[in-house]
Amino acid sequence: MSAPPLLALRGIFKRFGAVHALADVELEIRGGQVVALVGDNGAGKSTLVKVIAGVDPADAGVIEWEGRPVHIGRPHEAQDLGIATVYQDLALCDNLDVVGNVFLGREIQRRGLLDEVEMERRTLQLLESLAIRLPSVRLPVASLSGGQRQTVAISRSLLGEPKLVLLDEPTASLGIEQTAQVLDLVEQLRERGHGVLLISHNMGDIKAVADWIAVLRLGRNNGFFDVTTTSHEQIIASITGASDNAVTRRATPGWEVET
Amino acid sequence: MSRPWTLPLPLRRNRPAGADGRPPRGHGGQNPWQVLKRRFHSGELGSVPVVLGLLVVWIIFESLNSNFLSPRNLSSLSVDIVGIGMISTGVVFVLLLGEIDLSVGSVSGLAAAAFAVLNINQGMPEGFALLLAVLGGTLIGAVQGFFFAKVGVPAFVVTLAGLLGWYGLMLYILGASGTINIDDKGLVAQLTGFYFTHVAAAYGLAVLGTAGYFLASYLDVRRRRAAGVPARPMGEIALRTGVLAAVSLAAAAVLNQFQGLPLALLIFLVFLVGLDHVLRRTRYGRMIFALGGSVEAARRTGLNVALVQISVFMISGTMAAIGGLFLASRVTSATQTSGSGNLLMDAIAAAVIGGTSMFGGRGRTWSALLGVLVIQSIASGVALMGIQTAVQFMITGGVLLLAVVIDSLSRRAQRSHGRV
């Protein structure tokens, strides 16, 4: 491919005391691609997200944004580049309505006062462009369902027209119907040309929306797979490390880990 | 290999997720009963319960003593509410954060004492003494806010220490005599003693307020229509304006039958409108609400959490000091009992009875007005009938319990409504 990837991580190291949380991690994400980041608990997924989001910068390694090396040391530096992060615990204010939450911290003002009309118009526009249907944008988000709240959190992250969206476990604790709602939204993001990094434990979700799967194991890359050509078992083996095992390697001689 | 885990695409695509697939609405154009039901479920009952409660209180006391709704009593009520009402307005801000300020009673007493000492004992000009007393309240709020926001001491404890400490300081500066009478022709005495006796003043205020409300609502609807955003139906605005006009003109007529428009009431209304504007129309107000909803969410948006928290305690301290001056004005003295007794409880109860949530993130400045009207109406009714204050405490306690129950229920309704 000719164009440089949206985001490329090269040789990322992150250490907490004696523990190597991330060691020599590589990752590439292109616009219009959904890359799933999977791995067992403690594999370094959240650490990697924090590195990209600028919450907890890397100790060593290069981050390239659209081909040029950048330094992401603080959350707003990531936001300025065009990286939006939706954390697992949503970070919504239950008492504010949908409009208030979408524009929280970025309120539009008119003559020094909040411009509710313009914010409401843009919220409706944003929700419509994402085919999200809510009973009302003037309801406090406390009265929305879990899936609706997640869609609000995701659409809020899109307000600054980010190029890359990091989604940390967006479907955890959601029902089937609500999960489908969120996955719809992830596909919308891809169709709109956003790059998406999706962290998930749910192999079903990943198979449903991801284009590529990046596996982390014990803080290292342990495979980068094309979803369409990789079996469920291969991914699981890569996550659990079963493929490191000599016996497994012998049993599946035709397959190699792509890096 | 195919994608065995993919849900069939047509099933997942373009499925309307709303209950009925209608486009999202803003202010829905439904009938009032549906609106009320929806508001209850979303925990937004607002001032409906307290207005009903106030009507009940008035009807009961009027049926027991026909002097209760007399112009004289109502006019005196409209001045009596101002001191506690000012304090309660500050409490609304703290409650919006989901915190509490127990020091407001002591701070109000201290401000009155400070004014009296500076003006009477030290001979400082009245305006200057008044300003210093109010700024003292602001400073106290800043100190308490600092310990809460920066040091991390629970607000309950910081302000409990303030409750004791500032009361002690007040006794200290009042000195041996314990009571300082303030100039009964002076500026502070005029705060509650001055009336705009001309009939036009009260009516003018009523007309101006109503017209202002209508104009603001009308312009809002026009902008919303132009932007293609759901707007309140004009019928609803006409109805609201009509109700506001009826209530304010009736109040003006009653006030004009006695001494006219009290200056104290006018100042209180100006504060309520101004602070309501700050809370609901400015970015700063939105930050306060956000902090009441989720401190963590607010922090992640880059908000300076500690600064807003401290500023809210400063508002509370300032309003307590202003309220204290109005209370001192009413009795034209600062005494050892200023700011003590059930003043603190009345101020907090007024905010809660008026519909501001104890859980944070929900409330309006108007709840201070409505709540304090209920509390003072009970006090005034009980006094008129010559019953012991014991009865007043019991009734106020019952009303407060009712208000908190409504708050908790609507909050629970909101939660359970969300988890469909």
Side-chain angles (χ1 to χ4, degrees):
Chain A
M1 290 182 227
S2 54
L6 198 56
L7 178 83
L9 306 179
R10 315 235 182 262
I12 296 291
F13 285 84
K14 178 77 195 175
R15 190 178 304 167
F16 297 109
V19 182
H20 287 269
L22 296 173
D24 199 18
V25 172
E26 313 264 323
L27 185 68
E28 282 188 7
I29 304 170
R30 288 168 193 282
Q33 257 186 9
V34 178
V35 176
L37 184 63
V38 298
D40 213 344
N41 291 336
K45 306 186 298 288
S46 297
T47 311
L48 190 62
V49 168
K50 283 180 184 161
V51 164
I52 302 172
V55 175
D56 216 349
D59 296 328
V62 178
I63 300 178
E64 283 173 23
W65 181 254
E66 296 178 323
R68 62 197 165 82
V70 290
H71 177 77
I72 304 178
R74 298 178 46 186
H76 77 83
E77 288 172 3
Q79 281 163 19
D80 291 347
L81 286 174
I83 300 174
T85 315
V86 182
Y87 293 99
Q88 198 171 356
D89 48 352
L90 302 178
L92 295 178
C93 287
D94 275 351
N95 59 324
L96 297 183
D97 59 22
V98 177
V99 177
N101 268 293
V102 166
F103 280 90
L104 186 61
R106 284 174 292 193
E107 292 86 0
I108 301 174
Q109 290 177 312
R110 183 163 163 265
R111 294 189 218 117
L113 299 178
L114 295 179
D115 189 350
E116 294 286 354
V117 176
E118 180 62 15
M119 288 196 279
E120 184 166 333
R121 191 183 68 80
R122 289 206 205 168
T123 303
L124 289 171
Q125 210 174 41
L126 181 67
L127 295 181
E128 187 164 343
S129 73
L130 294 168
I132 299 173
R133 298 248 189 269
L134 296 175
S136 161
V137 292
R138 284 299 178 189
L139 277 182
V141 295
S143 55
L144 299 180
S145 71
Q148 288 170 333
R149 290 160 60 86
Q150 187 64 264
T151 55
V152 170
I154 295 175
S155 36
R156 170 166 114 188
S157 73
L158 297 180
L159 198 61
E161 283 298 320
K163 293 176 178 163
L164 176 64
V165 182
L166 310 180
L167 299 173
D168 191 358
E169 300 266 9
T171 59
S173 80
L174 293 188
I176 294 174
E177 176 79 1
Q178 299 177 348
T179 299
Q181 227 172 313
V182 171
L183 294 183
D184 274 354
L185 188 50
V186 173
E187 291 195 331
Q188 292 265 0
L189 298 186
R190 172 173 52 203
E191 278 156 30
R192 287 162 58 128
H194 298 281
V196 178
L197 183 66
L198 172 75
I199 296 186
S200 181
H201 269 114
N202 186 324
M203 207 49 69
D205 295 353
I206 292 167
K207 283 281 187 179
V209 293
D211 302 302
W212 297 90
I213 300 180
V215 182
L216 280 184
R217 177 168 152 70
L218 303 175
R220 292 173 178 278
N221 288 99
N222 204 29
F224 194 70
F225 307 106
D226 181 343
V227 171
T228 51
T229 59
T230 315
S231 78
H232 188 56
E233 290 73 21
Q234 284 171 334
I235 298 165
I236 296 293
S238 175
I239 292 173
T240 58
S243 54
D244 290 345
N245 177 312
V247 180
T248 330
R249 221 172 0 243
R250 203 170 55 95
T252 55
W255 175 64
E256 286 172 10
V257 177
E258 307 167 49
T259 320
Chain B
M1 196 170 296
S2 72
R3 305 167 96 181
W5 291 77
T6 311
L7 292 168
L9 275 182
L11 266 183
R12 301 199 289 111
R13 197 150 287 289
N14 298 331
R15 173 183 29 74
D20 43 15
R22 274 182 293 176
R25 296 184 301 261
H27 306 284
Q30 306 141 309
N31 75 45
W33 176 242
Q34 280 173 325
V35 171
L36 203 64
K37 237 170 87 179
R38 196 190 64 201
R39 288 232 186 130
F40 181 76
H41 284 309
S42 60
E44 300 275 300
L45 262 183
S47 44
V48 175
V50 61
V51 170
L52 291 179
L54 187 62
L55 286 179
V56 170
V57 168
W58 282 15
I59 289 169
I60 290 176
F61 278 117
E62 175 67 9
S63 69
L64 293 175
N65 184 332
S66 58
N67 278 333
F68 182 75
L69 290 184
S70 68
R72 184 191 186 87
N73 196 45
L74 288 180
S75 174
S76 136
L77 186 68
S78 78
V79 179
D80 280 336
I81 60 171
V82 175
I84 301 181
M86 289 281 190
I87 303 174
S88 188
T89 309
V91 170
V92 167
F93 277 74
V94 181
L95 287 179
L96 279 175
L97 288 186
E99 300 297 339
I100 191 106
D101 188 343
L102 298 179
S103 72
V104 288
S106 298
V107 172
S108 75
L110 178 60
F115 168 79
V117 168
L118 290 173
N119 176 225
I120 304 298
N121 294 8
Q122 313 280 328
M124 189 182 277
E126 255 197 319
F128 200 49
L130 185 137
L131 190 68
L132 278 187
V134 171
L135 287 181
T138 315
L139 183 69
I140 285 173
V143 170
Q144 293 182 153
F146 173 82
F147 279 104
F148 165 67
K150 287 285 190 187
V151 184
V153 189
F156 177 81
V157 185
V158 177
T159 57
L160 184 61
L163 164 79
L164 298 170
W166 308 124
Y167 183 61
L169 182 61
M170 179 193 84
L171 294 181
Y172 181 78
I173 64 169
L174 276 178
S177 70
T179 300
I180 301 175
N181 289 318
I182 58 178
D183 177 10
D184 60 3
K185 300 265 183 307
L187 182 67
V188 167
Q190 290 301 310
L191 282 180
T192 56
F194 185 82
Y195 288 79
F196 297 97
T197 44
H198 200 288
V199 186
Y203 284 123
L205 182 66
V207 170
L208 219 67
T210 309
Y213 175 80
F214 178 76
L215 195 67
S217 309
Y218 174 73
L219 290 178
D220 184 62
V221 168
R222 246 190 29 186
R223 272 204 74 208
R224 285 179 169 274
R225 291 214 177 128
V229 174
R232 275 198 178 129
M234 282 311 281
E236 191 187 330
I237 288 179
L239 184 71
R240 281 162 173 269
T241 309
V243 170
L244 182 65
V247 170
S248 57
L249 286 173
V254 169
L255 290 173
N256 277 335
Q257 279 181 49
F258 188 58
Q259 283 181 315
L261 174 69
L263 173 67
L265 184 63
L266 177 67
I267 298 177
F268 187 34
L269 290 175
V270 167
F271 265 93
L272 286 174
V273 171
L275 290 175
D276 180 59
H277 218 62
V278 168
L279 270 186
R280 295 192 308 123
R281 296 262 176 268
T282 67
R283 189 174 248 176
Y284 172 70
R286 183 56 54 83
M287 289 175 185
I288 294 175
F289 276 101
L291 280 180
S294 160
V295 174
E296 192 46 41
R299 196 190 310 277
R300 285 190 194 173
T301 63
L303 166 70
N304 190 336
V305 174
L307 199 67
V308 176
Q309 286 172 334
I310 292 174
S311 72
V312 166
F313 277 89
M314 287 166 75
I315 291 177
S316 169
T318 310
M319 293 306 291
I322 295 174
L325 290 170
F326 274 92
L327 290 171
S329 163
R330 199 72 173 130
V331 294
T332 57
S333 66
T335 69
Q336 289 184 335
T337 55
S338 300
S340 61
N342 48 332
L343 175 62
L344 164 67
M345 284 308 148
D346 279 352
I348 296 176
V352 175
I353 289 172
T356 291
S357 172
M358 298 279 295
F359 303 104
R362 235 162 354 108
R364 296 182 60 175
T365 55
W366 296 103
S367 58
L369 171 68
L370 293 169
V372 81
L373 265 177
V374 171
I375 286 183
Q376 281 296 325
S377 296
I378 295 170
S380 145
V382 168
L384 263 186
M385 293 168 59
I387 331 172
Q388 299 162 329
T389 42
V391 180
Q392 179 198 335
F393 286 159
M394 289 191 275
I395 299 176
T396 310
V399 172
L400 176 61
L401 180 65
L402 192 67
V404 178
V405 166
I406 291 174
D407 181 21
S408 303
L409 283 184
S410 80
R411 182 178 155 92
R412 200 165 68 188
Q414 185 179 42
R415 297 260 160 203
S416 60
H417 191 60
R419 307 282 176 264
V420 216

